[in-house]
Amino acid sequence: RLDSGGYALVVTDCINQNYNESLACSGFFETDKLIPYTCTQNSEYPFDQLFQSLDSISFLQQDSSHTSLFEMQALWQETSDSVIIGTILGSSLLEDEMNSGLNARILQALQQNRWSVLNFLELNYVCDQGPNIFKALQEFNNA
């Protein structure tokens, strides 16, 4: 624990980041590159993509032979398209998280025990639901 109240994590081995640039808040649909989507227009598409990825990561880690850290990046990724669309809309990664309610959905998923295996949950803007997510993770670890 740091004097300032936070924690430091030192990792001396590899971490599987599970980075997937297609998990952005906004972009263009693969089937029609002229139709944009955003996570702030009640579009379930970006949420479906993100949660399918998180589900897959957790499922693949159920094999007990996996001993290294793996990230579940529960956040909106940046792509050139998402940055352009975000700039046009006057948004940012923090605003995308707040306006989309992503952390609230992550909290709900944790409370519903959606994932059986968690190792390293990564979020943007922990000021939004961070303490509640922390409590849910403590309950997950104590179960």
Side-chain angles (χ1 to χ4, degrees):
R1 183 167 160 95
L2 302 173
D3 292 339
S4 61
Y7 292 87
L9 174 66
V10 177
V11 179
T12 59
D13 200 0
C14 295
I15 296 175
N16 185 347
Q17 293 180 323
N18 295 304
Y19 173 74
N20 182 344
E21 75 172 20
S22 70
L23 304 174
C25 174
S26 55
F28 294 95
F29 289 104
E30 291 180 21
T31 56
D32 189 340
K33 295 290 185 185
L34 299 176
I35 301 175
Y37 66 84
T38 71
C39 61
T40 57
Q41 296 176 342
N42 296 325
S43 170
E44 288 301 308
Y45 176 78
F47 291 102
D48 291 345
Q49 301 303 305
L50 179 59
F51 277 87
Q52 286 173 15
S53 175
L54 295 172
D55 293 347
S56 176
I57 292 165
S58 180
F59 178 78
L60 292 173
Q61 297 301 320
Q62 290 180 19
D63 178 359
S64 62
S65 68
H66 295 280
T67 58
S68 61
L69 285 175
F70 65 92
E71 289 182 22
M72 290 181 62
Q73 294 191 10
L75 47 82
W76 299 123
Q77 302 291 352
E78 297 170 306
T79 66
S80 56
D81 288 343
S82 72
V83 170
I84 291 168
I85 292 170
T87 301
I88 291 169
L89 297 175
S91 191
S92 69
L93 283 176
L94 299 182
E95 289 173 353
D96 287 347
E97 186 288 315
M98 271 192 329
N99 293 333
S100 68
L102 177 58
N103 285 358
R105 290 186 186 213
I106 296 298
L107 174 61
Q108 183 179 34
L110 290 168
Q111 290 170 332
Q112 294 172 348
N113 297 312
R114 181 172 181 142
W115 303 297
S116 60
V117 178
L118 285 171
N119 188 298
F120 187 159
L121 184 66
E122 185 177 0
L123 306 166
N124 274 340
Y125 200 48
V126 296
C127 293
D128 182 28
Q129 298 295 331
N132 294 329
I133 290 172
F134 179 70
K135 181 180 177 190
L137 288 170
Q138 286 178 314
E139 291 171 3
F140 176 86
N141 286 329
N142 292 330

